[in-house]
Amino acid sequence: MINQVRHPIWITTAKRPTARVFAILFGIESMARAIITSVVPIQTYDLMQSERGVSILYTCMSLLGLISTLSIPLLIVRIPRRWVYTAGATSLMLGCCAFALDTLPGQAAGLFLRTFGAGTLSITLSLYIMDHIKKGELVRAESVRMATATLAWTGGPFLGVLLYTRVGMVAPFLLSIGFSLLLLTLFWYFRLSDNPALQKGPSRPANPIANVRRFVVQPRLRLAWLIAFSRSCYWSTFFVYGPILMVATGQGTLAGGLLVSLGNLFLLGSILWGKVGMAKGLTRTISGVFVLLAVALIGAGLAGESFPMLAAIMLLAGAFFCVALDTLGSTTFIRAVHPHERAQMTAVYRTYLDFSEILPAFFYSFILTFFQLGAIFIALAGLMVFTAIFVWRYLPRGL
């Protein structure tokens, strides 16, 4: 009986991985990353005192992160998946150590290690999900997973900035390391890779270039990548330039952390967006959300540095719509990828995160040379409109 359970709920699921197990792991991983999400761009801005300088540094480190992400299948082929996952969590901890140095070389190393760690964890967890969750249950499972991360992404960014400003520069990084250690402990308890029924036979060595070619020739995978890339561009812009907007306009460091936390509060709407997607269909829902996201970005851009609080409200509205893409977007990839090439295609698909940091930061560095901060939001709105049209035209209606 449910009311007789006295031990933590995840213990009952340890031997049979379910959506709840993956939600728990994702929630703890999210907390480890969310704690320093707002701290890192603020710390980098404090060190460089230049929005353009921040963009250039993020571009360079994201390029290195892209190369490492494409190489992850090589690790998965040669090393048991559980050790690759462990390496990802360890990278998050080493990245925090680098950030704690509070130097530009430390920031560069921390950004790379954080990118590699997040990429490794994302790819391996996605493979586990595809092994254990049926395709017909993906939308519901993904909405549960995103909702579980709500606490982390709502409270984590503000808590991290609060610790950074009130306790000390090292405090948020120590807390992030603590959550990474908890993540590793639970992961090894769940023993996800020890199910003999899911062990695969020998795989041929993965060639990153061949994997990219194989990915590109599949239209449905290209479309899934575009959806993920566009919504990730919004989040990378929101996480980095939202706090910078608050600091640069005199609203304060805590205001930057609070903005990110409030934006992530909308993750509570994951369950709602999951139901909307199942009722209205993915094509109509995803394309419509991209249009609404473009409207919010144009509003934020027009408000800009002249009306920073209005710009913040429009960015928060965009965050509400972007949660729908977090909930539904990955389903388009999982339903399209072939089982025999999941590891290789997932690694290529995962590059949307690296490109969403490389390309916006690269273009923003030029835009900010001639225009104020609000211009980057208007430029990003153009991408959202393009993606909305592309999704409406090419995403299968019966998906």
Side-chain angles (χ1 to χ4, degrees):
M1 299 294 291
I2 197 167
N3 59 357
Q4 293 175 327
V5 176
R6 301 298 182 188
H7 47 271
I9 191 66
W10 57 79
I11 290 179
T12 63
T13 60
K15 294 184 179 181
R16 187 177 64 85
T18 63
R20 185 183 290 114
V21 168
F22 299 120
I24 291 168
L25 291 175
F26 184 68
I28 296 172
E29 176 202 334
S30 297
M31 195 67 182
R33 294 190 292 117
I35 287 290
I36 62 173
T37 291
S38 296
V39 172
V40 171
I42 290 173
Q43 182 188 29
T44 308
Y45 181 74
D46 287 341
L47 287 169
M48 304 188 76
Q49 293 297 309
S50 167
E51 296 98 332
R52 184 172 179 270
V54 173
S55 296
I56 294 173
L57 180 61
Y58 268 73
T59 300
C60 294
M61 291 305 102
S62 296
L63 281 170
L64 292 178
L66 171 62
I67 296 171
S68 69
T69 296
L70 290 173
S71 301
I72 290 174
L74 296 175
L75 296 177
I76 294 176
V77 168
R78 292 168 172 78
I79 303 173
R81 195 188 297 171
R82 60 183 178 275
W83 289 111
V84 179
Y85 189 95
T86 300
T90 303
S91 293
L92 292 185
M93 291 185 276
L94 292 175
C96 287
C97 294
F99 286 131
L101 298 176
D102 200 30
T103 63
L104 280 180
Q107 292 301 107
L111 286 170
F112 170 75
L113 288 167
R114 187 166 181 261
T115 299
F116 175 76
T120 303
L121 292 173
S122 174
I123 290 172
T124 50
L125 188 64
S126 295
L127 294 175
Y128 284 127
I129 289 173
M130 287 186 280
D131 280 345
H132 293 281
I133 303 297
K134 297 178 181 179
K135 287 190 175 182
E137 301 172 356
L138 284 174
V139 172
R140 188 182 304 276
E142 285 298 286
S143 63
V144 170
R145 188 162 69 101
M146 297 307 302
T148 304
T150 300
L151 177 62
W153 288 108
T154 300
F158 180 74
L159 176 61
V161 173
L162 186 65
L163 292 173
Y164 180 76
T165 56
R166 300 292 174 85
V167 178
M169 181 268 298
V170 177
F173 302 117
L174 289 177
L175 185 57
S176 178
I177 291 173
F179 277 104
S180 296
L181 287 172
L182 176 60
L183 174 66
L184 270 183
T185 301
L186 285 177
F187 171 76
W188 280 95
Y189 174 76
F190 290 141
R191 300 176 67 84
L192 295 180
S193 62
D194 289 350
N195 188 341
L198 294 172
Q199 295 301 310
K200 297 178 175 59
S203 300
R204 67 169 182 254
N207 183 324
I209 303 301
N211 292 339
V212 173
R213 289 199 204 100
R214 174 62 183 156
F215 189 97
V216 170
V217 299
Q218 300 183 64
R220 287 180 60 185
L221 293 185
R222 295 200 306 266
L223 179 57
W225 189 93
L226 176 63
I227 293 171
F229 168 73
S230 298
R231 58 101 168 167
S232 188
C233 283
Y234 180 83
W235 283 125
S236 65
T237 302
F238 180 77
F239 287 150
V240 174
Y241 296 95
I244 289 177
L245 175 66
M246 294 294 98
V247 173
T249 56
Q251 308 305 309
T253 302
L254 288 178
L258 182 60
L259 173 64
V260 174
S261 289
L262 289 176
N264 287 307
L265 180 62
F266 293 123
L267 286 170
L268 286 170
S270 296
I271 302 294
L272 171 63
W273 284 116
K275 293 179 178 179
V276 172
M278 288 187 288
K280 301 296 184 181
L282 293 183
T283 302
R284 183 181 300 177
T285 304
I286 292 176
S287 59
V289 165
F290 272 117
V291 171
L292 294 172
L293 193 53
V295 172
L297 281 167
I298 292 172
L302 293 176
E305 295 182 53
S306 300
F307 304 96
M309 296 312 296
L310 178 58
I313 291 173
M314 298 306 297
L315 289 175
L316 288 175
F320 173 72
F321 298 127
C322 205
V323 167
L325 303 174
D326 287 339
T327 305
L328 304 172
S330 60
T331 304
T332 60
F333 168 75
I334 295 174
R335 288 183 177 178
V337 68
H338 297 299
H340 66 276
E341 54 185 8
R342 284 173 175 173
Q344 293 83 0
M345 296 304 99
T346 300
V348 180
Y349 173 72
R350 172 56 178 66
T351 60
Y352 75 81
L353 278 174
D354 302 297
F355 277 104
S356 69
E357 294 181 354
I358 295 170
L359 295 181
F362 175 76
F363 285 109
Y364 294 166
S365 64
F366 287 101
I367 293 173
L368 291 171
T369 303
F370 305 101
F371 303 99
Q372 291 188 327
L373 195 56
I376 68 174
F377 302 130
I378 296 177
L380 185 58
L383 173 63
M384 301 304 155
V385 172
F386 170 80
T387 306
I389 296 172
F390 212 82
V391 169
W392 182 258
R393 182 175 176 82
Y394 294 109
L395 189 66
R397 294 294 190 269
L399 191 63

